[in-house]
């Protein structure tokens, strides 16, 4: 995958419309496995963490430009080609609806295709996405989102290490069997890092569409008592303390406590976020650009949140190209103050997912990620990882 020729891009910007000629899935090599990890929200299941692996997509054009996006469902490739080949990527508002209707078996597939289309638009205009979308800032504070439950001693060690590296915020998982254990975890971390590092707590109670999921499940009383304890400990927010569609309870909880209640990472469709915003369910909405409703829907949700005077702090975006697309989106909205980075080293460091890129943006010593300045996403795929 060759870097885009600046002189070619200059010609394209004054030439005939760009036309899509092909969509390809590019498989990536695994560099190495870093270990196994049990996510707090999925107890009993060990996943293998890797550097490299997976796939990305390429959308090719008759002008020699290539847009890249996260991997997509291979079973949807023919349908995607039927909708996009021969079309102009600049017509994305016309393309978005048919993509959802004909290709949208997986929301991640629609998002991957739209990210690649926007990457093409950026490359054709010579501008990074956040400037096309309306730059509100050119760097964004990052927070380290833990994956494991682990132990209070280890989480204290991790928080102190992250603070020494410049991270300004950490998100812990509240998944112990008892409220007392969850509070003891937060108390230990707060004591270790002081008040100059933000702490957020994720209960992950909205993983399922229904009313059951693995691990400890909270009722309203536990959610309320936890929120009050976390407020005492000066936590920044409590995330997903009840079931995904318990809108009435979540709104009631938010009215009874001072700590902001956050959520929405698993909700899909602009309509669900409209319901949440109209019912004042959350103080902080957390759509994921890979889950919510494609890039088009994500940006509509962000605008709705701004109109309702709510903060937008999205879910992590998958940990590679989706996170980069989300970084650009966050930088374009004034009500989006920070970005979530899944980072639980050494097994699940965020740099593992970013290794698919040859020039990824990294968290600096001040805890910020600067926006890539190249056209489109501003990153390219690591050529050493492309499988034969």
């Amino acid at each position: 995958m060759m870097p885009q020729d600046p002189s070619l891009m200059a010609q394209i910007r004054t030439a005939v419309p760009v036309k899509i000629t092909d969509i390809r899935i590019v498989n990536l090599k695994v560099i190495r496995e870093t270990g196994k990890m049990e996510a707090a929200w999925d107890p009993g299941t060990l996943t293998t963490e890797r550097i490299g692996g997976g796939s990305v997509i390429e959308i090719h054009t008759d002008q020699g430009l290539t847009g890249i996006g996260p991997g997509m469902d291979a079973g949807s490739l023919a349908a995607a080609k039927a909708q996009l080949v021969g079309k102009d990527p600049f017509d994305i508002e016309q393309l978005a609806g048919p993509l959802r209707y004909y290709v949208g078996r997986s929301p991640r597939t629609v998002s991957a295709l739209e990210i690649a289309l926007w990457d093409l638009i950026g490359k054709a205009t010579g501008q990074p996405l956040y400037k096309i979308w309306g730059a509100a800032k050119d760097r964004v504070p990052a927070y380290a989102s833990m994956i494991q439950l682990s132990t209070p001693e280890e989480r204290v060690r991790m928080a102190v290490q992250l603070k020494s590296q410049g991270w300004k915020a950490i998100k812990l998982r509240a998944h112990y069997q008892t409220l007392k254990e969850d509070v003891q975890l937060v108390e230990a971390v707060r004591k270790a890092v002081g008040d100059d590092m933000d702490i957020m707590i994720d209960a992950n109670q909205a993983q399922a569409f229904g009313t059951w999921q693995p691990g400890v499940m909270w009722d309203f009383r536990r959610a309320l008592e936890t929120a009050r304890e976390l407020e005492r400990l000066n936590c920044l927010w409590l995330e997903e303390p009840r079931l995904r569609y318990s809108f009435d309870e979540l709104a009631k909880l938010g009215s009874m406590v001072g700590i902001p209640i956050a959520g929405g990472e698993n909700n899909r469709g602009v309509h669900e976020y409209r319901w949440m915003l109209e019912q004042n369910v959350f103080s902080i909405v957390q759509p994921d650009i890979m889950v919510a409703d494609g890039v088009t829907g994500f940006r509509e949700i962000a605008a709705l949140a701004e109109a309702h005077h709510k903060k937008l702090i999205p879910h992590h975006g998958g940990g590679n190209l989706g996170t980069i697309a989300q970084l650009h989106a966050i930088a374009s909205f004034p009500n989006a103050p920070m970005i979530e980075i899944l980072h639980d080293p050494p097994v699940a460091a965020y740099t593992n997912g970013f290794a698919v890129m040859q020039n990824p943006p990294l968290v600096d010593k001040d805890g910020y990620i600067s926006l890539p300045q190249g056209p489109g996403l501003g990153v390219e795929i690591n050529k050493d990882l492309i499988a034969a």
Side-chain angles (χ1 to χ4, degrees):
M1 206 178 300
M2 297 299 292
Q4 307 295 337
D5 181 352
S7 62
L8 175 62
M9 290 196 299
Q11 295 172 32
I12 290 170
R13 289 197 292 273
T14 59
V16 296
V18 180
K19 296 296 181 183
I20 295 167
T21 58
D22 196 13
I23 305 171
R24 301 173 191 170
I25 296 175
V26 178
N27 293 315
L28 303 175
K29 302 174 186 175
V30 174
I31 297 176
R32 64 182 175 89
E33 295 182 353
T34 58
K36 296 185 181 296
M37 179 171 285
E38 180 184 280
W41 56 87
D42 196 11
T45 301
L46 288 176
T47 59
T48 301
E49 301 292 325
R50 300 177 175 87
I51 298 176
S55 64
V56 296
I57 62 169
E58 296 178 341
I59 298 183
H60 295 262
T61 71
D62 61 351
Q63 301 287 351
L65 293 175
T66 300
I68 59 173
M72 62 172 280
D73 174 18
S76 299
L77 183 60
K81 289 183 178 182
Q83 293 304 312
L84 295 180
V85 171
K87 304 293 178 60
D88 184 342
F90 281 87
D91 295 336
I92 195 162
E93 289 291 341
Q94 299 175 37
L95 301 174
L99 280 179
R100 281 155 186 72
Y101 191 86
Y102 293 109
V103 190
R105 293 191 300 176
S106 162
R108 294 180 179 275
T109 288
V110 172
S111 293
L113 291 165
E114 286 198 19
I115 287 169
L117 289 172
W118 277 108
D119 188 48
L120 272 175
I121 292 170
K123 287 170 177 171
T125 58
Q127 292 294 324
L129 283 184
Y130 81 102
K131 290 193 175 182
I132 293 175
W133 291 338
K137 44 193 172 284
D138 59 11
R139 64 178 194 149
V140 177
Y143 73 86
S145 184
M146 300 294 98
I147 297 172
Q148 305 174 92
L149 181 58
S150 192
T151 65
E153 294 76 17
E154 193 279 332
R155 296 291 83 169
V156 164
R157 181 195 62 78
M158 177 64 70
V160 171
Q161 173 183 308
L162 291 171
K163 182 180 177 182
S164 71
Q165 294 170 351
W167 295 80
K168 298 297 191 295
I170 183 172
K171 185 163 78 177
L172 305 170
R173 306 290 166 170
H175 286 266
Y176 288 110
Q177 288 298 312
T178 67
L179 166 63
K180 181 180 179 181
E181 291 172 292
D182 284 338
V183 173
Q184 286 175 340
L185 167 68
V186 183
E187 285 177 333
V189 173
R190 173 58 75 204
K191 181 179 180 181
V193 300
D195 289 329
D196 54 351
M197 187 177 198
D198 286 323
I199 299 175
M200 300 80 106
I201 303 300
D202 194 343
N204 292 113
Q205 294 294 300
Q207 295 298 108
F209 280 106
T211 59
W212 183 89
Q213 62 182 53
V216 62
M217 294 187 67
W218 292 9
D219 57 15
F220 182 82
R221 179 177 178 179
R222 177 154 177 182
L224 176 60
E225 291 178 354
T226 301
R228 286 172 172 164
E229 288 290 336
L230 298 180
E231 187 173 347
R232 174 179 65 83
L233 292 165
N234 193 31
C235 292
L236 202 58
W237 72 70
L238 171 59
E239 187 170 329
E240 296 196 327
R242 284 295 286 135
L243 301 173
R244 189 182 305 179
Y245 296 105
S246 294
F247 290 170
D248 290 346
E249 285 192 5
L250 288 161
K252 179 181 178 182
L253 176 64
S255 71
M256 295 175 69
V257 298
I259 184 173
I261 305 300
E265 69 186 50
N266 292 301
N267 289 88
R268 298 178 184 175
V270 176
H271 61 289
E272 291 195 14
Y273 291 89
R274 179 174 61 82
W275 294 339
M276 287 188 286
L277 289 162
E278 289 176 350
Q279 295 177 51
N280 200 29
V281 173
F282 295 119
S283 296
I284 299 168
V285 291
Q286 299 176 303
D288 188 319
I289 204 166
M290 296 301 298
V291 176
D293 199 11
V295 178
T296 302
F298 178 93
R299 296 180 68 232
E300 290 175 6
I301 292 162
L304 278 173
E306 186 175 14
H308 283 82
H309 309 291
K310 301 294 186 182
K311 287 184 180 179
L312 177 82
I313 306 179
H315 190 232
H316 59 72
N320 45 53
L321 292 179
T323 300
I324 302 303
Q326 194 149 266
L327 174 64
H328 283 277
I330 288 169
S332 71
F333 283 96
N335 60 320
M338 62 177 69
I339 184 168
E340 177 178 20
I341 300 293
L342 277 183
H343 183 55
D344 203 341
V347 174
Y350 80 94
T351 48
N352 294 357
F354 279 22
V356 304
M357 297 165 256
Q358 64 184 26
N359 54 336
L362 300 174
V363 179
D364 64 25
K365 61 181 178 60
D366 295 319
Y368 282 77
I369 297 184
S370 293
L371 270 293
Q373 294 303 303
L377 291 172
V379 298
E380 293 297 336
I381 298 303
N382 185 342
K383 298 178 181 63
D384 295 335
L385 292 185
I386 296 176

